[in-house]
């Protein structure tokens, strides 16, 4: 557009209302009126920004499912009730979750025992992909009493959005490369770790050091102490290694009391027998330390030549319910590769939904090469993985903030 078309006619010199030609200045046009080219470029830029924002939102939603920053894992809170990841990363006011927030979850805990748990975040990411994009909410790992507890285990678990679950084993560990017929004998013949020695104080220094480290970490930790005590394959079972009836409860309470004494009130104590199938004549009640010493009752139970988890777990649950109402957690599970494997996995998730007293499970995502007694991985076949993914997607997973009241600062009580 030419300048002459934008300039008004020159007024008469005698008109005092208008400036003279020497004082007149050309007024530039408003940027919006300078032509359709500029308007088009501005409009395209605005659309590009909006499209980028929308694309990022979709991307963030996808990434959140894989990285635990959204619903999956123990993140996914709201502004008024933030999840643990939000608290950990400082997105809201800092706060350390209490033990009570985990005892009665708002959904089901999906845990996994993996080769490098709880340290390997990439391993958790892969597990999430294998599980169809659903992130685990618990990370399970094992520690023998010949090993020093590393407090970073707690931090590492929470960094990828999982509640740490420690199976704390009072023994020197299994024998290295024993002959097949010597495996059981070498595992249980460890007189230094007799239950009476634990109660007598032989390991009090080690227990106290561990308890202080856990207390200093502050964040909740599940401790499954001396699990599967009703069997005969660990040196802390009462029927082996020179132990006697009543020794287990004494040792359990002794360890628990040391933690209470040093102020390690952030421990969720899980008493965890094996299912009664291989030990039907052993009384679970006689091995129970009491409700004042237990927060969760765990179970180890695998689908072995059984078509449903009801067959696997029912007899054990019925016996447990004769002496305690504590929440139940399946601490180890999986399905043996046999003719019943797929039917067992398919039935597992409907069974969980039906049995609301079972608040969580830990899948043994290991095989013989990674330290398990068999191949329990849900990825052992494409068919099993598909059944697992489909079933897991039907569960409402725990987010880690059930809104339970905070526990007392006092170490006394049923939830010390």
């Amino acid at each position: 557009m030419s300048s002459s078309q934008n300039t008004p006619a020159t007024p008469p010199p005698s008109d005092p209302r208008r400036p003279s030609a020497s004082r007149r200045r050309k007024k530039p046009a408003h940027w919006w009126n300078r032509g359709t080219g500029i308007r088009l470029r501005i409009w395209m830029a605005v659309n590009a920004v909006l499209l980028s924002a929308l694309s990022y939102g979709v991307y963030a939603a996808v990434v959140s499912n894989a990285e635990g920053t959204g619903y999956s894992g123990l993140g996914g809170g709201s502004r008024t009730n933030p999840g643990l990841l939000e608290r950990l990363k400082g997105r809201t006011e800092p706060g350390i979750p209490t033990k009570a927030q985990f005892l009665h979850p708002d959904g089901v805990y999906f845990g996994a025992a993996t080769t490098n748990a709880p340290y390997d975040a990439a391993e958790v990411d892969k597990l999430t992909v294998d599980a169809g994009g659903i992130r685990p909410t618990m990370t399970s790992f094992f520690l023998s009493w010949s090993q020093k507890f590393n407090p970073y285990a707690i931090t590492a678990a929470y960094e990828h959005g999982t509640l740490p679950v420690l199976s704390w084993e009072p023994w020197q560990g299994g024998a290295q490369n024993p002959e097949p017929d010597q495996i059981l004998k070498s595992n249980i013949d460890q007189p230094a770790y007799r239950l009476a020695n634990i109660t007598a104080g032989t390991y009090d220094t080690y227990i106290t050091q561990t308890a202080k480290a856990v207390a200093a970490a502050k964040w909740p930790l599940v401790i499954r102490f001396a699990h599967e005590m009703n069997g005969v394959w660990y040196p802390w079972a009462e029927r082996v290694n020179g132990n006697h009836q009543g020794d287990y409860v004494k040792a359990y309470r002794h360890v628990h009391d040391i933690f209470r004494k040093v102020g390690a009130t952030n421990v969720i104590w899980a008493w965890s027998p094996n299912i009664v199938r291989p030990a039907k004549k052993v009384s679970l009640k006689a091995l129970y330390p009491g409700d004042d010493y237990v927060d969760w009752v765990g179970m180890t139970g695998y689908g072995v030549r059984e078509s449903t988890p009801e067959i696997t777990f029912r007899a054990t649950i019925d016996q447990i319910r004769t002496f305690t109402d504590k929440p139940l957690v399946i601490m180890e599970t999986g399905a043996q590769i046999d003719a019943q494997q797929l039917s067992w996995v398919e039935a597992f998730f409907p069974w969980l939904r039906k049995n609301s007293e079972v608040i969580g499970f830990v899948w043994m995502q290991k095989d013989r090469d990674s330290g398990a007694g068999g191949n329990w991985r849900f990825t052992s076949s494409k068919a099993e993985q598909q059944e697992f993914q489909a079933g897991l997607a039907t569960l409402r997973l725990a987010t880690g903030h059930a809104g339970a009241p905070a526990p007392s600062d006092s170490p006394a009580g049923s939830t010390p």
Side-chain angles (χ1 to χ4, degrees):
M1 195 178 287
S2 67
S3 59
S4 63
Q5 290 175 295
N6 288 327
T7 305
T10 303
S14 59
D15 188 348
R17 300 170 298 170
R18 306 300 295 270
S20 65
S22 62
R23 297 165 55 196
R24 223 170 34 249
R25 295 289 184 271
K26 182 171 64 176
K27 182 180 180 180
H30 191 275
W31 64 269
W32 184 255
N33 296 320
R34 292 183 185 178
T36 58
I38 294 179
R39 290 197 297 271
L40 180 60
R41 286 193 292 272
I42 295 296
W43 180 246
M44 291 175 64
V46 170
N47 274 277
V49 172
L50 292 174
L51 182 60
S52 296
L54 179 61
S55 299
Y56 178 77
V58 174
Y59 168 77
V62 173
V63 170
S64 70
N65 194 42
E67 296 185 356
T69 56
Y71 166 77
S72 55
L74 288 172
S78 64
R79 290 186 177 182
T80 58
N81 194 10
L84 295 180
L85 284 182
E86 285 86 346
R87 294 177 182 180
L88 184 65
K89 295 181 179 178
R91 299 176 186 172
T92 62
E93 292 184 6
I96 297 174
T98 66
K99 164 182 171 176
Q101 289 177 270
F102 294 91
L103 296 183
H104 303 280
D106 57 352
V108 177
Y109 290 118
F110 156 40
T114 55
T115 305
N116 299 313
Y119 303 104
D120 193 341
E123 189 176 63
V124 177
D125 291 340
K126 183 180 185 306
L127 176 66
T128 302
V129 173
D130 290 341
I134 298 177
R135 198 171 188 84
T137 49
M138 294 195 300
T139 299
S140 176
F141 60 107
F142 296 75
L143 187 74
S144 72
W145 278 23
S146 62
Q147 299 171 296
K148 185 177 180 179
F149 173 74
N150 183 356
Y152 180 63
I154 298 177
T155 303
Y158 282 109
E159 281 183 344
H160 48 64
T162 59
L163 172 66
V165 178
L166 168 62
S167 293
W168 203 28
E169 305 175 312
W171 66 333
Q172 66 187 16
Q176 298 296 317
N177 302 316
E179 295 297 325
D181 60 346
Q182 293 295 313
I183 291 178
L184 182 59
K185 182 178 181 356
S186 61
N187 284 355
I188 64 177
D189 187 16
Q190 299 187 19
Y193 290 95
R194 284 176 182 156
L195 293 169
N197 291 339
I198 296 173
T199 305
T202 303
Y203 299 98
D204 280 7
T205 299
Y206 171 73
I207 299 168
T208 301
Q209 290 174 344
T210 304
K212 288 181 177 179
V214 171
K218 298 182 179 180
W219 287 66
L221 166 71
V222 179
I223 291 184
R224 181 173 71 142
F225 170 71
H227 59 291
E228 301 170 29
M229 75 300 294
N230 57 324
V232 292
W233 44 88
Y234 287 124
W236 54 81
E238 288 186 346
R239 293 181 287 165
V240 299
N241 200 32
N243 298 318
H244 300 92
Q245 186 174 0
D247 283 352
Y248 179 82
V249 168
K250 292 176 184 177
Y252 184 108
R253 289 178 176 177
H254 180 77
V255 171
H256 181 283
D257 288 345
I258 292 176
F259 274 72
R260 175 184 289 177
K261 182 178 180 180
V262 304
T265 59
N266 52 322
V267 174
I268 297 172
W269 290 94
W271 175 78
S272 183
N274 196 84
I275 56 171
V276 298
R277 185 205 309 125
K280 295 179 180 179
K281 295 182 180 181
V282 178
S283 169
L284 294 182
K285 184 177 180 180
L287 296 168
Y288 188 62
D291 282 355
D292 286 349
Y293 291 85
V294 174
D295 297 301
W296 286 349
V297 172
M299 291 181 288
T300 295
Y302 293 87
V304 179
R305 297 185 296 277
E306 297 158 335
S307 60
T308 69
E310 178 70 10
I311 300 173
T312 304
F313 297 110
R314 178 50 52 193
T316 308
I317 293 175
D318 288 346
Q319 188 176 150
I320 288 170
R321 283 302 181 234
T322 65
F323 56 84
T324 183
D325 291 323
K326 292 291 184 176
L328 298 172
V329 180
I330 300 172
M331 289 293 188
E332 287 184 40
T333 196
Q336 180 174 274
I337 301 176
D338 56 24
Q340 287 76 36
Q341 181 190 38
L342 293 182
S343 64
W344 197 95
V345 174
E346 181 182 16
F348 181 72
F349 298 97
W351 181 83
L352 278 177
R353 296 196 305 273
K354 181 179 179 181
N355 291 271
S356 58
E357 61 186 332
V358 180
I359 63 170
F361 70 96
V362 176
W363 201 272
M364 181 56 69
Q365 192 62 3
K366 296 182 181 180
D367 56 19
R368 292 186 184 277
D369 292 336
S370 50
N375 184 359
W376 304 109
R377 298 173 182 266
F378 66 79
T379 51
S380 64
S381 71
K382 190 65 177 178
E384 183 186 5
Q385 183 174 2
Q386 290 174 343
E387 292 289 357
F388 187 93
Q389 289 177 347
L392 184 62
T394 66
L395 298 181
R396 178 187 177 188
L397 296 185
T399 58
H401 41 69
S408 168
D409 291 335
S410 171
S414 60
T415 55

